[in-house]
Amino acid sequence: MEPQTSGEKAPTHKPVIEKTESGVRIHIGQMPHTMDPDHYISWIEVEKDGNTVRKDLKPGEKPEAEFEVDQPNVTRALCTTHGLWETKLSWQSNTH
């Protein structure tokens, strides 16, 4: 499945990263994604140097996850309706 990175659905589907003291917090969308039984984010994952860590989610939970991974390269999320979404990260900038 080819990940999406932009388009009209991006504001509610593209993973957004926030640095924390112990790693990163990922939340889905600039506006929170719905977590209804028939339309929700089923998992969020981060990848660093080829290693992937994933958190599975269920309807009703918040569309977010925390990972003890410092400066991952990529984060992805799977929407049960709109497919796979991805954000590639560049830690050289001050935007994260």
Side-chain angles (χ1 to χ4, degrees), residues 75-86:
T75 183
R76 296 181 195 91
L78 183 65
C79 173
T80 58
T81 302
H82 299 109
L84 184 63
W85 291 82
E86 177 179 88

Side-chain angles (χ1 to χ4, degrees), residues 3-5 13-18 24-28 43-48 53 65 67 72-78 84-89 96:
Q4 301 173 73
T5 59
H13 289 85
K14 193 171 176 182
V16 178
I17 190 165
E18 174 187 340
V24 293
R25 178 181 299 115
I26 308 299
H27 58 93
I28 304 308
W43 52 258
I44 300 170
E45 69 181 17
V46 295
E47 180 182 316
K48 181 173 182 175
V53 181
F67 299 95
N73 307 105
V74 178
T75 183
R76 296 181 195 91
L78 183 65
L84 184 63
W85 291 82
E86 177 179 88
T87 300
K88 292 186 179 182
L89 305 164
H96 301 285

